[in-house]
Structures are given as structure tokens and as C-alpha cells.
Amino acid sequence: ITQGQIGGCIYISGVPGTGKTASVHAIIREMTRESEAGDIPPFSFIEVNCQRLPKPNALYSLLLQGITGKQAAPVQAATMLDSLFGSAANARQPTTVVLLDELDHLVTRKQTVLYNIFEWPTRTKANLVVLGVANTMDLPDRMLPRICSRLGLQRISFQPYLHTQLQEVISSRLTGLDAV
């Protein structure tokens, strides 16, 4: 975004509780402040917890509504998003950052939703950044090669806390409660 009107994908993985989603939220808050100050171009942010979707393709309807305000059934929404991310008119729109938390819930046999969501940001006029967060470290390795190629090498891995780090976190939380 700092370079203006770009797209891309980042896969963020790690065991539960390591701060993956919290870190993304902190970065988005900072980017929002920078955007409001005029330091980076404006952007929009959409967050989806994929675990809450009734079916993976319901993501299309949520994204369409979040980006355009329009409502459509999943199949129609997919077609509309496909057209939107390839149009010259979209190139003039602010970048949209999409956080897909619990990304592993989008995995299906054909992996069509995953393919589309990681293919759209590769288009030059898409202005779409997809941040996929999952607890599964090897999810990209289990994806079809055509999807894995869209992810590229943009991966961030959160390592589990060490025993001493957990002690520090707990102590810092308890200190604020006057419990220590």
C-alpha cells in the first residue's frame, strides 16, 4: 500500500494463541493512522472469520458487500468480483485489504474459492491484498500447485511461545491487576 495501488497475498501461520490475528489488527490500526495522516494512500479493510461461513463460497457474497455495498448470491458475487478485479475502473479505487482468519476452513476438494481469492490480487488492476491466517503451518503445501503458486513466498510463521515467554506474558497481565 505504501507504494500505492498494489496487490498481493501473505500467508500467516502458527499455533493457536501466538498473536497472529492480534498482530494483523495492530498493523491495520497503525496503517489506518498513517492513512488518516496522509502518509500512505487510503485503503479499506475487510475481515472475515472463515470458520463462521456456512459454506466456503459464501465468502464471495461477504467480499462483494464489503467492497461495493451490493448483495448477491455466492455464484453471482463471484462473477461480479471477477469482473471488478479485472476492470480499469477498479484501478482508480483505493486498495482493499482482506483478512481471512481461519483460512483453512475454505479448503474444499476443488479449492476453487482459495484459487480465486489468491488469484485476484495478482491482477494488475485488482488493488487487492489478501492476508490469510491459519493455525495450519503446512496448509500451502497441501494446496493444489496452481494455488500455491499464487501465494508466492510471502509467508510469515509465528513460532510457539517458550516457557519463559509465557511466564513474562502472564506476569505482565497480572501486574496490571494488582494480583502480584
Side-chain angles (χ1 to χ4, degrees):
I1 290 178
T2 57
Q3 297 170 356
Q5 315 309 345
I6 60 165
C9 304
I10 301 175
Y11 179 69
I12 304 164
S13 64
V15 296
T18 52
K20 301 176 296 293
T21 304
S23 294
V24 171
H25 286 154
I27 291 166
I28 293 296
R29 280 192 302 276
E30 179 59 29
M31 288 174 56
T32 299
R33 283 191 285 276
E34 290 178 20
S35 177
E36 290 168 351
D39 296 335
I40 64 171
F43 68 97
S44 61
F45 176 66
I46 300 170
E47 179 177 2
V48 178
N49 184 322
C50 299
Q51 185 176 14
R52 295 188 178 143
L53 297 173
K55 292 179 4 183
N57 72 349
L59 175 64
Y60 297 135
S61 299
L62 287 175
L63 288 181
L64 182 69
Q65 185 172 11
I67 294 169
T68 69
K70 297 178 183 177
Q71 293 186 356
V75 173
Q76 183 184 10
T79 302
M80 294 169 75
L81 288 167
D82 194 61
S83 176
L84 175 72
F85 293 131
S87 79
N90 192 58
R92 294 185 296 275
Q93 298 300 315
T95 298
T96 299
V97 178
V98 177
L99 169 59
L100 298 176
D101 203 1
E102 307 291 346
L103 177 71
D104 43 329
H105 288 273
L106 296 181
V107 175
T108 60
R109 190 174 56 78
K110 291 185 179 180
Q111 300 182 2
T112 305
V113 174
L114 284 171
Y115 177 78
N116 287 337
I117 198 67
F118 290 126
E119 191 272 332
W120 288 330
T122 66
R123 298 180 184 180
T124 56
K125 297 174 175 66
N127 295 338
L128 178 65
V129 175
V130 175
L131 308 173
V133 176
N135 296 330
T136 312
M137 303 287 253
D138 67 342
L139 182 62
D141 301 328
R142 294 187 288 136
M143 292 179 185
L144 295 173
R146 68 186 182 130
I147 298 169
C148 224
S149 69
R150 299 298 182 214
L151 272 176
L153 298 175
Q154 298 294 326
R155 298 180 191 183
I156 300 171
S157 179
F158 280 64
Q159 298 304 313
Y161 286 115
L162 300 173
H163 178 72
T164 54
Q165 292 170 317
L166 284 173
Q167 283 179 320
E168 289 175 31
V169 169
I170 293 169
S171 293
S172 71
R173 295 294 195 310
L174 291 175
T175 300
L177 300 173
D178 292 330
V180 178

